[in-house]
Amino acid sequence: GNRKIEVKELSLIGIISHNLKTLMRDKSITMTRLQKETGVPLTTISRILSDENLNPTVASLAPIARFFNISIDELLSTHCKFN
């Protein structure tokens, strides 16, 4: 469904997952390419995208944010509009 999600329902990883999916889709970036460009392991990226990684570290979020030219805060934001 495409129901509106209340912010309080979203876990932090859910927010990161949603933002990362949006960024990857908008810029046509595959998981493999993201892994190659950031050095973040494919398993970590896949866990973030599937909401499984309950505690992604700054070490894995920083290169991803840098790759997309955004701040970690933006990656964690529920109201961020990416260009």
Side-chain angles (χ1 to χ4, degrees):
N2 220 353
R3 69 189 184 87
K4 285 238 186 292
I5 298 174
E6 289 294 319
V7 170
K8 64 178 178 293
E9 285 179 38
L10 284 173
S11 65
L12 191 57
I13 185 60
I15 294 165
I16 298 168
S17 173
H18 172 78
N19 286 345
L20 185 54
K21 280 178 192 155
T22 304
L23 285 160
M24 289 173 72
R25 190 187 60 230
D26 289 355
K27 299 186 188 303
S28 304
I29 301 295
T30 62
M31 280 173 47
T32 314
R33 165 116 190 262
L34 191 61
Q35 182 266 315
K36 283 190 181 124
E37 300 273 354
T38 62
V40 176
L42 216 48
T43 48
T44 303
I45 294 169
S46 139
R47 281 201 201 112
I48 292 172
L49 290 172
S50 63
D51 275 10
E52 282 173 40
N53 187 346
L54 298 176
N55 194 10
T57 61
V58 170
S60 52
L61 295 180
I64 292 173
R66 199 176 311 120
F67 173 73
F68 287 109
N69 214 8
I70 60 172
S71 67
I72 291 179
D73 281 349
E74 288 172 303
L75 195 56
L76 305 182
S77 169
T78 52
H79 48 74
C80 187
K81 295 284 171 277
F82 307 112
N83 309 336

